[in-house]
């Protein structure tokens, strides 16, 4: 989805329209990007962040989830007292916030905008157990955030993202997405779960990466550790994508995960995540 820095009302209107349209086409869960209301590292975070669950942005999404009868996951810029967090919520079809995450592995250039995240959890629903992380949480050392969600019983990890590249990035010479596959695939395969990363599109108009572009490429990885779907690339690639999810039986609990993991490594697990010229967020 197109996210415009500092344009909260325009971004919210766009999000509500996407929720309604996706639900009308049969979606049961709608996932929106990171920092969807204000844009990632945009200076407006300092003055326009609002509360969860009763601030203006979250209430608008709660009403949309209730009206459309779907689960809604979205990245929000949250005000909590004197602190501002890069946060995300999962809202159920009754309009209640059932999961509230604050980004743990924020890039250093985001530290001046957002406080340190302080929570990680899962939500049990009739559709399965959802976990939630935000963008760079996925490549915290050892994929610790995704693995922790797997140990907590997540069947599906939802991840609002804002994947940005330099303005002159050439996707034909350096196709985007390998970094995220390297981060998602071992966790998905090791725990037999789904990971869904949804990125914004559009130019970054403020903050340390002003002039870079968010380029979509939203990604679905299945329980076999392989890519199921990737969205189109480009700062104008605003698109609703649909994927059908079928959960797999959980193969283990507790230390049984590690025994399973030692017997069968994930596809792509020999690729170690590393910073690259695509400058993942």
């Amino acid at each position: 989805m197109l996210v415009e820095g500092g344009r909260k009302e325009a971004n919210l209107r766009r999000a509500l329209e996407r929720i309604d349209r996706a639900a009308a086409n049969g979606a049961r869960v709608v996932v929106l990007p990171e920092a969807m209301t204000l844009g990632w590292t945009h200076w407006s975070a300092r003055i326009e962040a609002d509360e969860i669950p009763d601030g203006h942005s979250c209430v608008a999404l709660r009403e949309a989830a209730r009206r459309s009868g779907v689960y809604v996951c979205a990245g929000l810029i949250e005000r909590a007292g004197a602190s501002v967090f890069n946060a995300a919520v999962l809202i159920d079809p009754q309009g209640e916030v059932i999961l509230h995450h604050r980004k743990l592995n924020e890039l250093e250039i985001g530290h001046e905008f957002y406080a340190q995240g302080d929570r990680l959890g899962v939500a049990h629903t009739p559709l399965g157990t959802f976990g939630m992380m935000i963008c760079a949480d996925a490549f915290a050392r050892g994929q610790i955030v995704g693995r922790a969600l797997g140990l907590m019983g997540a069947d599906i990890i939802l991840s609002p993202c804002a994947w940005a590249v330099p303005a002159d990035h050439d996707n034909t010479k350096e196709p985007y997405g390998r970094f995220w596959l390297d981060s998602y695939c071992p966790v998905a395969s090791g725990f037999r779960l789904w990971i869904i990363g949804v990125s914004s599109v559009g130019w970054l108009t403020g903050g340390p990466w002003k002039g870079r572009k968010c380029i979509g490429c939203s990604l679905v990885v299945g329980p076999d550790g392989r890519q199921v779907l990737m969205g189109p690339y480009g700062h104008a690639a605003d698109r609703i994508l649909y994927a059908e999810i079928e959960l797999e039986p959980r193969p283990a609990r507790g230390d049984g995960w590690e025994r399973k993991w030692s017997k069968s490594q994930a596809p792509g697990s020999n690729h170690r995540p590393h910073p690259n010229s695509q400058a993942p967020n």
Side-chain angles (χ1 to χ4, degrees):
M1 189 188 91
L2 172 64
V3 172
E4 299 176 279
R7 300 196 62 200
K8 181 193 290 187
E9 293 306 320
N11 292 328
L12 274 173
R13 283 195 299 271
R14 197 174 293 117
L16 300 182
E17 187 275 334
R18 301 300 190 277
I19 293 168
D20 290 344
R21 181 147 44 109
N25 286 331
R28 302 184 69 185
V29 183
V30 180
V31 189
L32 300 166
E34 177 182 16
M36 180 274 298
T37 45
L38 297 171
W40 185 66
T41 65
H42 193 272
W43 60 266
S44 58
R46 300 187 179 103
I47 57 174
E48 293 202 51
D50 45 13
E51 294 79 12
I52 293 173
D54 297 322
H56 170 63
S57 302
C58 194
V59 167
L61 294 172
R62 291 172 60 192
E63 291 174 351
R66 184 167 53 247
R67 179 177 64 250
S68 296
V70 296
Y71 291 85
V72 173
C73 173
L76 299 174
I77 304 302
E78 176 194 5
R79 169 77 62 188
S83 298
V84 173
F85 293 95
N86 185 349
V89 294
L90 179 63
I91 302 166
D92 71 13
Q94 289 72 50
E96 298 300 320
V97 174
I98 59 172
L99 201 53
H100 176 193
H101 178 61
R102 291 168 173 165
K103 192 174 182 180
L104 298 168
N105 190 44
E106 184 62 79
L107 295 192
E108 187 172 354
I109 61 172
H111 293 180
E112 66 174 295
F113 299 92
Y114 314 121
Q116 174 63 57
D118 58 5
R119 61 194 62 195
L120 190 69
V122 297
H124 304 286
T125 80
L127 299 184
T129 299
F130 288 98
M132 193 161 54
M133 60 185 178
I134 300 174
C135 207
D137 282 340
F139 61 81
R141 183 170 302 205
Q143 298 129 9
I144 190 172
V145 177
R147 293 187 187 282
L149 290 170
L151 286 168
M152 295 169 77
D155 298 307
I156 307 169
I157 297 176
L158 306 176
S159 184
C161 298
W163 294 340
V165 298
D168 62 354
H169 176 249
D170 186 340
N171 199 53
T172 60
K173 294 181 179 177
E174 191 177 3
Y176 192 84
R178 181 72 256 171
F179 184 90
W180 298 103
L181 290 168
D182 289 347
S183 298
Y184 288 176
C185 291
V187 177
S189 177
F191 290 92
R192 307 302 293 178
L193 55 78
W194 293 80
I195 302 180
I196 302 171
V198 174
S199 176
S200 55
V201 301
W203 293 96
L204 295 176
T205 58
W209 276 0
K210 181 179 179 181
R212 295 195 181 207
K213 55 187 178 182
C214 291
I215 42 70
C217 291
S218 298
L219 183 64
V220 177
V221 171
D224 61 357
R226 300 184 186 278
Q227 175 183 316
V228 173
L229 174 71
M230 178 175 279
Y233 170 96
H235 69 276
D238 190 320
R239 198 78 50 85
I240 298 180
L241 305 168
Y242 297 88
E244 294 188 5
I245 303 300
E246 183 175 347
L247 303 185
E248 293 202 0
R250 303 189 63 78
R253 284 187 62 194
D255 69 342
W257 290 115
E258 293 306 316
R259 292 198 298 272
K260 290 279 184 181
W261 177 248
S262 66
K263 293 178 182 177
S264 177
Q265 294 292 311
S269 61
N270 59 322
H271 298 283
R272 298 182 60 192
H274 59 281
N276 61 16
S277 62
Q278 295 169 356
N281 168 15

